[in-house]
Amino acid sequence: MSDVRHVLVLPDRDAAEEVAEALRERFGVVEEPRLVRDALAGEDDAEDAQWLVVLRDEEERLDAEELDRFAGEWEGWREEP
C-alpha cells in the first residue's frame, strides 16, 4: 500500500467544500478529504488565503490530469508533488 496523496488548491473555502463533496459523486472517493487553509506568508486576511483539499489515493486509482481538470471547474488546480 502506498501513501499517495493528491492536493487540490482552491481559491476559497466555499469552493473547497464543494469540491470535497463533488469528489464523492464524480470519483467515488469514500474517505472524506481534509480541508486545509493555506495563508500566504505574513498574510492573516482570509481574502489572501487558498484552501487545500487533500485526499489519499493509496490504491493509485485517481488520474492526476483528470483531478486537475476537475479542480479547474472551481478555478483551482492539482498541486504537483
Side-chain angles (χ1 to χ4, degrees):
M1 191 179 326
S2 69
D3 188 29
V4 173
R5 295 178 193 271
H6 298 283
V7 178
L8 307 180
V9 181
L10 286 302
D12 57 53
R13 183 180 187 146
D14 289 339
E17 289 174 345
E18 289 176 24
V19 164
E21 183 66 31
L23 281 166
R24 290 188 198 112
E25 296 170 15
R26 187 118 159 233
F27 295 96
V29 172
V30 178
E31 184 177 327
E32 186 162 342
R34 286 184 30 219
L35 300 180
V36 179
R37 181 179 179 268
D38 183 33
L40 301 173
E43 297 292 335
D44 290 328
D45 189 353
E47 297 280 325
D48 295 325
Q50 297 175 328
W51 283 82
L52 309 178
V53 176
V54 181
L55 61 144
R56 292 187 347 190
D57 184 20
E58 295 171 347
E59 296 175 7
E60 298 184 46
R61 63 179 192 84
L62 300 173
D63 180 80
E65 289 181 16
E66 193 172 340
L67 284 171
D68 189 46
R69 285 190 296 275
F70 173 72
E73 295 174 20
W74 284 269
E75 298 181 16
W77 65 90
R78 179 187 165 274
E79 189 72 25
E80 288 295 326

PDB file of all heavy atoms in Angstrom, residues 7-19:
ATOM      1  N   VAL A   7      -3.286  16.874  -3.783  1.00  0.00           N
ATOM      2  CA  VAL A   7      -3.618  18.156  -3.168  1.00  0.00           C
ATOM      3  C   VAL A   7      -4.227  19.041  -4.239  1.00  0.00           C
ATOM      4  O   VAL A   7      -3.589  19.342  -5.246  1.00  0.00           O
ATOM      5  CB  VAL A   7      -2.368  18.831  -2.561  1.00  0.00           C
ATOM      6  CG1 VAL A   7      -2.732  20.191  -1.974  1.00  0.00           C
ATOM      7  CG2 VAL A   7      -1.735  17.934  -1.504  1.00  0.00           C
ATOM      8  N   LEU A   8      -5.469  19.424  -4.019  1.00  0.00           N
ATOM      9  CA  LEU A   8      -6.164  20.335  -4.920  1.00  0.00           C
ATOM     10  C   LEU A   8      -6.183  21.710  -4.268  1.00  0.00           C
ATOM     11  O   LEU A   8      -6.546  21.841  -3.091  1.00  0.00           O
ATOM     12  CB  LEU A   8      -7.585  19.851  -5.189  1.00  0.00           C
ATOM     13  CG  LEU A   8      -7.723  18.409  -5.678  1.00  0.00           C
ATOM     14  CD1 LEU A   8      -9.190  18.067  -5.893  1.00  0.00           C
ATOM     15  CD2 LEU A   8      -6.914  18.174  -6.933  1.00  0.00           C
ATOM     16  N   VAL A   9      -5.775  22.725  -5.000  1.00  0.00           N
ATOM     17  CA  VAL A   9      -5.699  24.093  -4.481  1.00  0.00           C
ATOM     18  C   VAL A   9      -6.903  24.858  -5.007  1.00  0.00           C
ATOM     19  O   VAL A   9      -7.128  24.928  -6.214  1.00  0.00           O
ATOM     20  CB  VAL A   9      -4.393  24.780  -4.938  1.00  0.00           C
ATOM     21  CG1 VAL A   9      -4.302  26.189  -4.366  1.00  0.00           C
ATOM     22  CG2 VAL A   9      -3.176  23.944  -4.538  1.00  0.00           C
ATOM     23  N   LEU A  10      -7.685  25.445  -4.087  1.00  0.00           N
ATOM     24  CA  LEU A  10      -8.899  26.163  -4.442  1.00  0.00           C
ATOM     25  C   LEU A  10      -8.832  27.593  -3.937  1.00  0.00           C
ATOM     26  O   LEU A  10      -8.145  27.874  -2.956  1.00  0.00           O
ATOM     27  CB  LEU A  10     -10.124  25.469  -3.849  1.00  0.00           C
ATOM     28  CG  LEU A  10     -10.570  24.154  -4.503  1.00  0.00           C
ATOM     29  CD1 LEU A  10     -10.880  24.334  -5.962  1.00  0.00           C
ATOM     30  CD2 LEU A  10      -9.655  23.018  -4.277  1.00  0.00           C
ATOM     31  N   PRO A  11      -9.553  28.500  -4.596  1.00  0.00           N
ATOM     32  CA  PRO A  11      -9.452  29.915  -4.249  1.00  0.00           C
ATOM     33  C   PRO A  11     -10.132  30.322  -2.939  1.00  0.00           C
ATOM     34  O   PRO A  11      -9.791  31.356  -2.370  1.00  0.00           O
ATOM     35  CB  PRO A  11     -10.115  30.623  -5.437  1.00  0.00           C
ATOM     36  CG  PRO A  11     -11.061  29.611  -5.991  1.00  0.00           C
ATOM     37  CD  PRO A  11     -10.407  28.280  -5.760  1.00  0.00           C
ATOM     38  N   ASP A  12     -11.098  29.537  -2.456  1.00  0.00           N
ATOM     39  CA  ASP A  12     -11.788  29.915  -1.220  1.00  0.00           C
ATOM     40  C   ASP A  12     -12.414  28.686  -0.554  1.00  0.00           C
ATOM     41  O   ASP A  12     -12.437  27.601  -1.133  1.00  0.00           O
ATOM     42  CB  ASP A  12     -12.848  30.994  -1.478  1.00  0.00           C
ATOM     43  CG  ASP A  12     -13.875  30.569  -2.518  1.00  0.00           C
ATOM     44  OD1 ASP A  12     -14.467  29.476  -2.371  1.00  0.00           O
ATOM     45  OD2 ASP A  12     -14.081  31.329  -3.482  1.00  0.00           O
ATOM     46  N   ARG A  13     -12.891  28.903   0.647  1.00  0.00           N
ATOM     47  CA  ARG A  13     -13.441  27.797   1.433  1.00  0.00           C
ATOM     48  C   ARG A  13     -14.683  27.184   0.789  1.00  0.00           C
ATOM     49  O   ARG A  13     -14.855  25.970   0.785  1.00  0.00           O
ATOM     50  CB  ARG A  13     -13.767  28.270   2.844  1.00  0.00           C
ATOM     51  CG  ARG A  13     -14.270  27.155   3.716  1.00  0.00           C
ATOM     52  CD  ARG A  13     -14.583  27.615   5.104  1.00  0.00           C
ATOM     53  NE  ARG A  13     -14.887  26.456   5.916  1.00  0.00           N
ATOM     54  CZ  ARG A  13     -14.591  26.342   7.184  1.00  0.00           C
ATOM     55  NH1 ARG A  13     -13.982  27.311   7.810  1.00  0.00           N
ATOM     56  NH2 ARG A  13     -14.905  25.259   7.848  1.00  0.00           N
ATOM     57  N   ASP A  14     -15.549  28.024   0.252  1.00  0.00           N
ATOM     58  CA  ASP A  14     -16.766  27.505  -0.380  1.00  0.00           C
ATOM     59  C   ASP A  14     -16.424  26.554  -1.519  1.00  0.00           C
ATOM     60  O   ASP A  14     -17.008  25.476  -1.639  1.00  0.00           O
ATOM     61  CB  ASP A  14     -17.640  28.646  -0.900  1.00  0.00           C
ATOM     62  CG  ASP A  14     -18.290  29.445   0.223  1.00  0.00           C
ATOM     63  OD1 ASP A  14     -18.399  28.913   1.351  1.00  0.00           O
ATOM     64  OD2 ASP A  14     -18.689  30.592  -0.028  1.00  0.00           O
ATOM     65  N   ALA A  15     -15.472  26.948  -2.358  1.00  0.00           N
ATOM     66  CA  ALA A  15     -15.058  26.095  -3.474  1.00  0.00           C
ATOM     67  C   ALA A  15     -14.473  24.789  -2.950  1.00  0.00           C
ATOM     68  O   ALA A  15     -14.754  23.713  -3.475  1.00  0.00           O
ATOM     69  CB  ALA A  15     -14.050  26.818  -4.363  1.00  0.00           C
ATOM     70  N   ALA A  16     -13.656  24.871  -1.899  1.00  0.00           N
ATOM     71  CA  ALA A  16     -13.029  23.670  -1.336  1.00  0.00           C
ATOM     72  C   ALA A  16     -14.094  22.714  -0.797  1.00  0.00           C
ATOM     73  O   ALA A  16     -14.001  21.500  -1.001  1.00  0.00           O
ATOM     74  CB  ALA A  16     -12.049  24.059  -0.231  1.00  0.00           C
ATOM     75  N   GLU A  17     -15.096  23.250  -0.118  1.00  0.00           N
ATOM     76  CA  GLU A  17     -16.167  22.401   0.415  1.00  0.00           C
ATOM     77  C   GLU A  17     -16.965  21.756  -0.713  1.00  0.00           C
ATOM     78  O   GLU A  17     -17.320  20.576  -0.627  1.00  0.00           O
ATOM     79  CB  GLU A  17     -17.073  23.216   1.342  1.00  0.00           C
ATOM     80  CG  GLU A  17     -16.395  23.578   2.643  1.00  0.00           C
ATOM     81  CD  GLU A  17     -17.217  24.510   3.519  1.00  0.00           C
ATOM     82  OE1 GLU A  17     -18.198  25.123   3.020  1.00  0.00           O
ATOM     83  OE2 GLU A  17     -16.874  24.637   4.707  1.00  0.00           O
ATOM     84  N   GLU A  18     -17.243  22.520  -1.765  1.00  0.00           N
ATOM     85  CA  GLU A  18     -17.967  21.972  -2.907  1.00  0.00           C
ATOM     86  C   GLU A  18     -17.166  20.869  -3.592  1.00  0.00           C
ATOM     87  O   GLU A  18     -17.714  19.828  -3.970  1.00  0.00           O
ATOM     88  CB  GLU A  18     -18.297  23.081  -3.908  1.00  0.00           C
ATOM     89  CG  GLU A  18     -19.352  24.036  -3.429  1.00  0.00           C
ATOM     90  CD  GLU A  18     -19.596  25.171  -4.406  1.00  0.00           C
ATOM     91  OE1 GLU A  18     -19.313  25.012  -5.608  1.00  0.00           O
ATOM     92  OE2 GLU A  18     -20.082  26.224  -3.958  1.00  0.00           O
ATOM     93  N   VAL A  19     -15.872  21.089  -3.754  1.00  0.00           N
ATOM     94  CA  VAL A  19     -15.001  20.091  -4.379  1.00  0.00           C
ATOM     95  C   VAL A  19     -14.966  18.818  -3.535  1.00  0.00           C
ATOM     96  O   VAL A  19     -15.068  17.708  -4.061  1.00  0.00           O
ATOM     97  CB  VAL A  19     -13.583  20.655  -4.600  1.00  0.00           C
ATOM     98  CG1 VAL A  19     -12.578  19.551  -4.876  1.00  0.00           C
ATOM     99  CG2 VAL A  19     -13.594  21.656  -5.759  1.00  0.00           C
TER     100      VAL A  19
END
